[in-house]
Amino acid sequence: MEKRHMHFTSDLKVRSEEDGFFIEGYFAVFNQETELFPGAFEEIAPGAFDKSLRENAIFCLDNHDTKSVLADTVSRTLELRVDDHGLWGRVELDLEDPVAKSAYRKVKTGKVRGCSFGFIPVKEETDFRDDGTVKWRVLEADTKEVSITAFPAYAQTDIRTREKQKEQIEQRQLDKKKHELKERLNKCL
């Protein structure tokens, strides 16, 4: 499976303390249905991050750019934990790093309010709904990174991993409409 990104608006906050500068907020929210493209939805289930938090080295990036590492769990500059609401994180920034300083200022001034996470779906449920739409519920997400991002909604580039399934969904919707029309015609005859 290809890596995917899920984006959403978060209530990011910056804080400066005697011991450093921080960005904190929710990088993912549970049970929040997001429309990927017309007729296709996705949401993250509670527990989806549990294995990754135990086993993975997870990085915090600026806008998913692997050249812009802000923090990581191995160095303990990134703290991640789950609660009933979602995946909360606290990023300790090194303001000697120009990328980190820029990220801090963008969040502080409100230019950047979005969060995202990069993951590979390991387990998910697919629900083909009666109305012809489909919903994926991610039960386990092999999480590689979290990001602060300027675009807190699904961007076109992030949808591409579901594009392959889009044709199948459209065909299923068309087949459903054909079936309904046939049933109506049979009743008229």
Side-chain angles (χ1 to χ4, degrees):
M1 289 217 156
E2 293 182 47
K3 180 179 169 187
R4 293 202 308 258
H5 298 142
M6 180 176 257
H7 303 261
F8 60 94
T9 302
S10 183
D11 188 19
L12 287 177
K13 295 187 180 354
V14 294
R15 291 192 309 118
S16 63
E17 297 176 358
E18 192 174 299
D19 59 338
F21 295 86
F22 303 90
I23 295 173
E24 56 187 33
Y26 283 91
F27 286 96
V29 176
F30 298 136
N31 302 317
Q32 178 176 305
E33 188 174 283
T34 302
E35 188 169 18
L36 301 174
F37 50 86
F41 301 87
E42 183 172 70
E43 76 178 29
I44 303 300
F49 301 109
D50 294 352
K51 185 174 181 185
S52 290
L53 291 177
R54 283 191 313 270
E55 299 177 3
N56 291 1
I58 301 173
F59 293 87
C60 180
L61 307 177
D62 187 9
N63 206 34
H64 300 291
D65 184 352
T66 57
K67 293 180 226 151
S68 299
V69 176
L70 301 173
D72 70 279
T73 55
V74 174
S75 69
R76 297 185 184 205
T77 52
L78 173 62
E79 175 189 354
L80 294 171
R81 67 176 183 254
V82 294
D83 60 23
D84 291 341
H85 186 66
L87 177 65
W88 179 88
R90 181 178 187 212
V91 183
E92 182 179 355
L93 297 167
D94 173 8
L95 294 191
E96 296 291 319
D97 177 353
V99 172
K101 185 175 185 177
S102 174
Y104 182 80
R105 291 195 50 74
K106 287 185 278 188
V107 173
K108 185 176 181 178
T109 60
K111 292 177 188 170
V112 171
R113 295 174 298 283
C115 288
S116 178
F117 62 98
F119 69 103
I120 298 169
V122 177
K123 292 180 189 170
E124 59 185 15
E125 297 171 340
T126 304
D127 180 17
F128 293 100
R129 300 171 178 176
D130 292 338
D131 64 0
T133 63
V134 65
K135 176 181 165 185
W136 293 279
R137 183 169 167 82
V138 179
L139 303 174
E140 185 180 335
D142 184 11
T143 309
K144 306 297 185 184
E145 52 96 359
V146 295
S147 284
I148 65 165
T149 182
F151 298 102
Y154 275 92
Q156 196 61 29
T157 55
D158 297 325
I159 293 171
R160 98 188 131 202
T161 57
R162 291 290 193 197
E163 287 290 325
K164 295 173 189 171
Q165 294 165 319
K166 183 177 181 180
E167 287 180 23
Q168 291 174 316
I169 293 164
E170 289 170 346
Q171 185 61 50
R172 186 180 286 262
Q173 289 170 335
L174 182 62
D175 291 344
K176 183 179 187 312
K177 287 179 184 176
K178 285 180 184 178
H179 178 74
E180 289 170 353
L181 285 172
K182 284 180 185 176
E183 283 183 356
R184 275 201 245 159
L185 283 172
N186 287 338
K187 288 180 182 178
C188 292
L189 298 177

